[in-house]
Amino acid sequence: METGANSTNADLAAWVGREEVRSDRVDLRIAQALAATFDHEPSAIADGDALPPLWHWVYFTPNARASEIGPDGHPRRGGFLPPVELPNRMWAGGRLRFERPLRVGESLRRVSRILSCERKSGRSGDLVFVTVEHTISGADGAAALVEEHDIVYRNASPGGGKLTGEAVPPECGFRRSIDPDPVLLFRYSALTFNGHRIHYDHPYVTRVEGYPGLIVHGPLTATLLLEAFREAHPDKRITRFSFRAVGPLFDIHRFDVCGRITGPDCAELWTDENGRLTMKATVGFE
């Protein structure tokens, strides 16, 4: 199936229902490396322990060959996802349901299915929205985690424009400061095998794409939000999580991850970069 820049919604609809099945194992070394990246004690994690929520993003990583990588560090288009020719791709958000914890050392199976593909027009031009559902299960075959992953394709935009975002809420229940230094971004790129150069190649992101600094990964920001919530409320078992990116974060400024309880089983989280909200999230717990 061919899908180019001028594809219609009918063309994109042909990709809906497409599936991919992959296997992986919750490797202890990788879990400990992510713990070290977040400044936790790596040896505190052992085989059989519950993997913290969102840490599964360092598994089932892409494995494109070097010859399949494009000039921006991303794999060239095609394969499971539609080969949309719009140049920029971003992880815009997602919704997750945690049925049970994944365990370190556990063998897993992930079934990915394209739920929707749609072309729209926005202020910045054409946009293509793709939503993928990932269902992860263990040896018993029962779903342990169900995730909907939102991907947006768009035209390249000048990086030096006004930074987008929203105003932060007036009050928060907890706040933690993050220094998104290049080592943090490089380590997360390495653990997720994410070759996108905007996260670690300063000359590329500033001279080619025109941004003021390295861009903080959306999944990393979401994980830092949830890590801060878990630190503030260690007694809560997380059952649901949803997040949406509303603006970019760069390595040139510190930012805060914040949140507050909004009900008996829910909370809202957000980033605060000098009054600019760039990601918002909700947490369900029991």
Side-chain angles (χ1 to χ4, degrees):
M1 289 181 283
E2 295 293 331
T3 303
N6 298 316
S7 58
T8 65
N9 278 327
D11 298 324
L12 290 166
W15 289 79
V16 174
R18 187 181 179 94
E19 289 193 354
E20 176 187 71
V21 180
R22 296 187 61 191
S23 298
D24 205 345
R25 180 176 176 275
V26 186
D27 182 80
L28 174 61
R29 184 194 65 80
I30 294 176
Q32 290 181 334
L34 185 58
T37 300
F38 292 147
D39 201 25
H40 303 325
E41 174 53 53
S43 62
I45 298 179
D47 276 322
D49 287 351
L51 191 72
L54 303 187
W55 287 32
H56 71 285
W57 284 333
V58 299
Y59 300 99
F60 299 102
T61 55
N63 56 1
R65 295 171 54 182
S67 58
E68 298 169 343
I69 299 298
D72 63 353
H74 261 316
R76 298 184 189 277
R77 306 299 169 84
F80 170 62
L81 292 172
V84 178
E85 294 303 321
L86 294 171
N88 285 6
R89 182 178 72 187
M90 63 176 290
W91 191 328
R95 296 152 299 284
L96 300 96
R97 187 173 77 248
F98 302 96
E99 300 292 350
R100 67 160 179 85
L102 305 176
R103 297 283 173 181
V104 177
E106 184 178 12
S107 294
L108 302 175
R109 181 176 186 263
R110 187 183 76 177
V111 179
S112 302
R113 183 167 63 94
I114 296 177
L115 295 183
S116 64
C117 297
E118 186 176 7
R119 178 177 292 276
K120 295 182 179 180
S121 294
R123 286 179 297 177
S124 59
D126 282 349
L127 302 167
V128 172
F129 295 84
V130 178
T131 297
V132 180
E133 179 188 71
H134 302 292
T135 302
I136 298 177
S137 58
D140 62 359
L145 188 160
V146 180
E147 172 180 3
E148 290 186 4
H149 171 191
D150 298 328
I151 306 165
V152 177
Y153 298 85
R154 57 182 297 171
N155 286 306
S157 57
K162 183 179 178 180
L163 295 180
T164 56
E166 298 180 5
V168 300
E171 298 178 356
C172 64
F174 64 87
R175 178 182 295 268
R176 178 182 170 195
S177 184
I178 303 294
D179 180 10
D181 64 87
V183 175
L184 171 64
L185 305 190
F186 170 80
R187 282 179 142 193
Y188 194 77
S189 286
L191 286 167
T192 55
F193 207 48
N194 181 353
H196 199 185
R197 295 167 66 180
I198 62 172
H199 302 304
Y200 62 87
D201 188 336
H202 190 269
Y204 172 85
V205 75
T206 55
R207 299 174 190 170
V208 177
E209 300 220 4
Y211 290 103
L214 299 174
I215 299 175
V216 182
H217 316 65
L220 173 59
T221 304
T223 306
L224 290 169
L225 280 170
L226 200 51
E227 287 291 294
F229 175 83
R230 294 199 310 120
E231 184 178 292
H233 302 283
D235 58 322
K236 308 297 187 187
R237 188 184 82 82
I238 294 166
T239 57
R240 304 178 312 280
F241 182 73
S242 64
F243 69 101
R244 183 169 68 88
V246 295
L249 282 171
F250 302 98
D251 71 328
I252 55 177
H253 298 298
R254 297 179 69 92
F255 65 92
D256 294 342
V257 285
C258 314
R260 61 185 178 188
I261 300 291
T262 54
D265 60 355
C266 58
E268 62 178 14
L269 313 177
W270 64 91
T271 55
D272 181 353
E273 191 257 50
N274 195 28
R276 185 174 65 96
L277 183 154
T278 64
M279 180 175 286
K280 61 174 73 174
T282 58
V283 182
F285 55 81
E286 58 185 26

